[in-house]
């Protein structure tokens, strides 16, 4: 029983210590959430365990693209468009999400199925967690979430869509920032055509 309480307390401490993410709005330097009615083309992305197909995509400044992202692997993967510095920052955030138990190697909603009422010493009602969404946990500091318009998490065997408008040409890459995946080569390039 003490172990469960200690694990839960450690997870809450990690979440409370989360700092506002510098990368959260950094995508605004090159793009924004796209509108479905502005999409002129769809790019299909297939994620396998530690690779993307294709490994390079070409876009135009001002273009709104629908990305249809399919996870053909056995692990949870991310499709995230950003600069190398943004990916480095987001890797730290993702590490904290995994360490807190918010995500697992195979599920973006690892905590969704947990029965927190069974955890000894955890009075979630008194903590203001009534119907909380773990995707936007906030324990007195910046919320930990994964909902920016330049990224999508995809569970194994699933397909997700993301609509993004590229407003400015810059050096970008798409990557999976789940711990260890970027380092294993799960990264591709975004090039801008004229």
């Amino acid at each position: 029983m003490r172990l469960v309480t200690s694990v839960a307390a450690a997870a809450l401490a990690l979440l409370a210590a989360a700092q506002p993410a510098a990368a959260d709005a950094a995508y605004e330097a090159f793009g924004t959430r796209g509108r479905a009615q502005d999409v002129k083309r769809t790019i299909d992305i297939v994620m396998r365990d530690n690779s993307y197909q294709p490994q390079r995509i070409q876009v135009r400044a001002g273009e709104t693209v629908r990305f249809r992202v399919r996870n053909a692997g056995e692990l949870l993967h991310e499709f995230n468009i950003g600069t190398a510095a943004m990916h480095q920052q987001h890797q730290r955030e993702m590490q904290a999400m995994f360490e807190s138990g918010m995500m697992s190697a195979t599920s973006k909603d690892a905590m969704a199925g947990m029965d927190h009422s069974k955890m000894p010493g955890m009075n979630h009602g008194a903590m203001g967690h009534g119907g909380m969404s773990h995707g936007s946990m906030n324990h007195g500091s910046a919320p930990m979430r994964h909902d920016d318009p330049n990224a999508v998490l995809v569970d194994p065997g699933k397909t997700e869509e993301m609509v993004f408008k590229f407003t400015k040409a810059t050096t970008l890459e798409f990557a999976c920032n789940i711990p260890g995946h970027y380092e294993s080569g799960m990264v591709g390039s975004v090039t801008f055509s004229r």
Side-chain angles (χ1 to χ4, degrees):
M1 258 204 268
R2 248 175 213 213
L3 178 60
V4 172
T5 303
S6 297
V7 170
L12 290 174
L14 268 173
L15 293 171
Q19 298 300 313
D24 277 356
Y27 66 85
E28 293 174 348
F30 58 83
T32 188
R33 185 177 311 276
R35 299 179 331 158
Q37 63 265 32
D38 296 334
V39 170
K40 299 290 187 241
R41 71 182 173 122
T42 297
I43 297 176
D44 288 309
I45 304 288
V46 177
M47 300 184 293
R48 292 185 171 74
D49 291 332
N50 298 330
S51 70
Y52 287 105
Q53 184 63 38
Q55 291 184 325
R56 194 184 108 202
I57 58 174
Q58 191 169 44
V59 298
R60 284 187 215 83
E63 181 178 24
T64 301
V65 176
R66 172 180 289 109
F67 292 96
R68 189 171 33 230
V69 185
R70 182 171 60 93
N71 185 344
E74 295 181 20
L75 302 171
L76 175 66
H77 289 298
E78 177 187 47
F79 177 75
N80 184 310
I81 299 171
T83 64
M86 287 172 63
H87 290 301
Q88 187 176 44
Q89 170 66 33
H90 190 52
Q91 288 165 20
R92 289 190 291 270
E93 296 165 357
M94 294 291 279
Q95 182 69 41
M97 288 180 185
F98 273 81
E99 288 173 359
S100 73
M102 286 179 67
M103 294 179 201
S104 72
T106 58
S107 176
K108 63 184 172 185
D109 298 315
M111 290 183 80
M114 291 175 69
D115 183 357
H116 293 84
S117 67
K118 303 287 188 227
M119 290 182 173
M122 297 295 291
N123 183 347
H124 280 60
M127 295 172 68
H129 295 316
M132 74 184 243
S133 163
H134 289 91
S136 60
M137 281 182 127
N138 186 344
H139 295 279
S141 185
M144 290 183 77
R145 62 187 189 281
H146 198 281
D147 61 356
D148 290 329
N150 62 316
V152 64
L153 279 170
V154 186
D155 284 327
K158 303 289 185 187
T159 300
E160 300 284 344
E161 288 190 356
M162 176 179 100
V163 177
F164 192 76
K165 180 177 182 179
F166 294 89
T167 57
K168 179 182 174 195
T170 190
T171 303
L172 297 174
E173 57 189 21
F174 55 92
C176 181
N177 293 299
I178 290 174
H181 294 200
Y182 185 98
E183 298 82 0
S184 295
M186 200 161 182
V187 61
S189 63
V190 178
T191 58
F192 285 83
S193 60
R194 297 183 191 269

